[in-house]
Amino acid sequence: MPITVIGSSELGEEIPMITIGSGKKKFLVWSQMHGNESTTTKALLDFLKLIAQQQQESTAIEAFLKTHTVKIIPILNPDGARAYTRVNANGVDLNRDAQLCSQKESKALREVFDAFQPDLCLNMHDQRTIYGLPSGKSATVSFLSPSADASRGLTKAREVAMLDIAKMANVLATVIPGQIGKYDDGFNLNCVGDTFTHLGVPTILFEAGHYPGDYSREITRSYIYRALLVVFTIEEVANIFKVGDYLQLPENEKSFCDIVLKDVRLHDEEAPQDIAIQYIESLKDGKIDFQATLLELRTNLIGHTQIACNGDYVVLNNGNNVRLNESICKVYNKSKGIELLINI
Ligand SMILES: [Zn+2]
């Protein structure tokens, strides 16, 4: 598998790209343009491992490599990946830099796109744990065929992306029913997917999301891998899908938080209320730290974890004057005399 360097990051780190196959159909894939979104990168590496190990044995892989040329940029934003940030070293969100191309990483991607002229692009991300679906379940995998212009109309490029998404969603629905969603297609030409779709190239946004209890996203990683096998035609799926199948996918909604303390009393003579707690991720001593923070009170959010308190008095940290967005290190159920575990 040839590896080339397509440019360097703002801090001078090389950005490698792997090419597989030698066929006519050209796919361009990039992951981690948001540095702290590595689930799809891991799934891509799983896919490359499969190719490396089984290209001699599998006729499906052999056929795929003969008919496709796929260029994969595993980490477009290495500086953000090292710092575990969404943005690059200059604080720029590369997925809002598609028009300006003000950053070296954006330029590198655009140069590959212009030179390679792909038939399909895969734009790979992680989404936060806040997204849920009308099924009441979390959005474990979400997709989008971005709009080509402000009218959000159907174009040939969008149609191609929609049919591929419908195919992947159909397969995933057999293992995670009710957990596959789509993003809203509000048009923003500063986003890379919107720009490439505007230029007539089908582009699929992948969003790896939360699976219950799976904060390391190892389970979601396996679903993204499965979706890759489908879109790369290694897992054979009948071509029976229509645009309507894509349109019927439910839209992501912001319906979840990480923990809900149900029916809690914080102060005397106060009616019980719910407390929503959300983890903020950051890098601490080289590891990802999940810090619980107070999101809101009196909420309708569903918690990935729900702790029933049945009107008990609860103390947050050392008192109940915790402000919104402040860290919560300890939750003590004063009525029962026990500490509630909120850490991962
Ligand atoms: Zn992202």
Side-chain angles (χ1 to χ4, degrees):
M1 293 181 191
I3 300 177
T4 49
V5 172
I6 62 163
S8 63
S9 68
E10 287 289 328
L11 293 182
E13 186 147 352
E14 289 182 344
I15 304 171
M17 178 172 76
I18 301 149
T19 303
I20 56 171
S22 53
K24 280 192 183 142
K25 269 196 167 176
K26 296 183 284 181
F27 289 5
L28 174 60
V29 186
W30 64 95
S31 186
Q32 263 178 289
M33 70 185 318
H34 291 146
N36 57 353
E37 299 176 3
S38 62
T39 306
T40 48
T41 307
K42 292 173 200 162
L44 281 167
L45 295 177
D46 294 338
F47 172 73
L48 288 170
K49 191 172 164 191
L50 172 86
I51 297 290
Q53 288 178 342
Q54 293 196 17
Q55 55 184 331
Q56 312 296 346
E57 291 113 60
S58 159
T59 48
I61 292 176
E62 201 185 344
F64 163 72
L65 294 173
K66 268 190 191 149
T67 49
H68 294 72
T69 302
V70 182
K71 292 189 180 291
I72 297 174
I73 305 164
I75 303 180
L76 183 64
N77 175 8
D79 300 341
R82 280 198 193 284
Y84 202 68
T85 57
R86 175 183 174 90
V87 293
N88 78 345
N90 295 330
V92 174
D93 183 339
L94 300 178
N95 205 21
R96 300 292 181 274
D97 193 37
Q99 286 301 302
L100 286 176
C101 278
S102 65
Q103 303 299 298
K104 286 184 175 174
E105 298 89 349
S106 312
K107 283 189 193 102
L109 176 63
R110 185 58 194 258
E111 278 166 18
V112 171
F113 175 85
D114 288 340
F116 184 46
Q117 300 190 347
D119 301 303
L120 180 74
C121 291
L122 309 183
N123 178 13
M124 308 197 72
H125 294 254
D126 271 75
Q127 64 187 355
R128 288 183 291 160
T129 58
I130 59 173
Y131 292 107
L133 293 165
S135 61
K137 296 179 179 177
S138 56
T140 302
V141 178
S142 299
F143 296 103
L144 173 69
S145 163
S147 295
D149 53 50
S151 78
R152 306 187 194 185
L154 185 65
T155 64
K156 186 69 203 151
R158 287 198 83 187
E159 190 180 343
V160 170
M162 286 175 183
L163 296 181
D164 271 335
I165 292 170
K167 204 158 76 164
M168 290 186 280
N170 189 266
V171 169
L172 290 180
T174 61
V175 282
I176 41 170
Q179 287 166 261
I180 305 141
K182 71 171 185 290
Y183 260 89
D184 85 86
D185 62 356
F187 182 64
N188 182 350
L189 206 49
N190 297 314
C191 298
V192 175
D194 300 49
T195 284
F196 288 179
T197 306
H198 180 74
L199 294 169
V201 178
T203 302
I204 298 174
L205 175 75
F206 279 64
E207 294 278 357
H210 186 73
Y211 183 88
D214 180 33
Y215 278 90
S216 61
R217 300 232 163 137
E218 286 297 304
I219 296 171
T220 305
R221 166 183 179 172
S222 71
Y223 296 132
I224 298 293
Y225 171 72
R226 181 86 184 268
L228 287 173
L229 296 185
V230 173
V231 78
F232 290 143
T233 67
I234 288 166
E235 178 171 344
E236 216 176 305
V237 180
N239 251 335
I240 51 166
F241 298 98
K242 299 190 175 69
V243 166
D245 297 319
Y246 169 82
L247 297 175
Q248 273 173 19
L249 287 173
E251 270 194 22
N252 274 7
E253 32 192 59
K254 290 180 183 170
S255 50
F256 271 93
C257 63
D258 290 314
I259 304 168
V260 170
L261 304 174
K262 295 290 281 182
D263 300 322
V264 169
R265 282 179 221 268
L266 291 176
H267 303 284
D268 285 341
E269 293 165 21
E270 199 180 67
Q273 59 187 333
D274 292 350
I275 294 179
I277 293 174
Q278 186 69 22
Y279 294 121
I280 302 291
E281 292 177 40
S282 64
L283 201 61
K284 250 187 197 166
D285 304 324
K287 285 194 175 151
I288 299 160
D289 179 68
F290 292 84
Q291 175 61 56
T293 60
L294 182 61
L295 188 66
E296 56 181 301
L297 304 172
R298 296 181 191 88
T299 172
N300 308 319
L301 294 176
I302 315 165
H304 292 301
T305 299
Q306 304 222 119
I307 303 176
C309 294
N310 304 315
D312 288 347
Y313 284 98
V314 161
V315 180
L316 304 176
N317 295 342
N318 294 317
N320 281 337
N321 299 320
V322 177
R323 287 180 306 249
L324 298 184
N325 302 319
E326 200 175 310
S327 295
I328 297 177
C329 302
K330 190 175 150 186
V331 178
Y332 182 68
N333 185 327
K334 208 170 151 187
S335 304
K336 297 222 163 54
I338 50 168
E339 192 172 327
L340 303 175
L341 296 176
I342 56 161
N343 293 319
I344 290 174

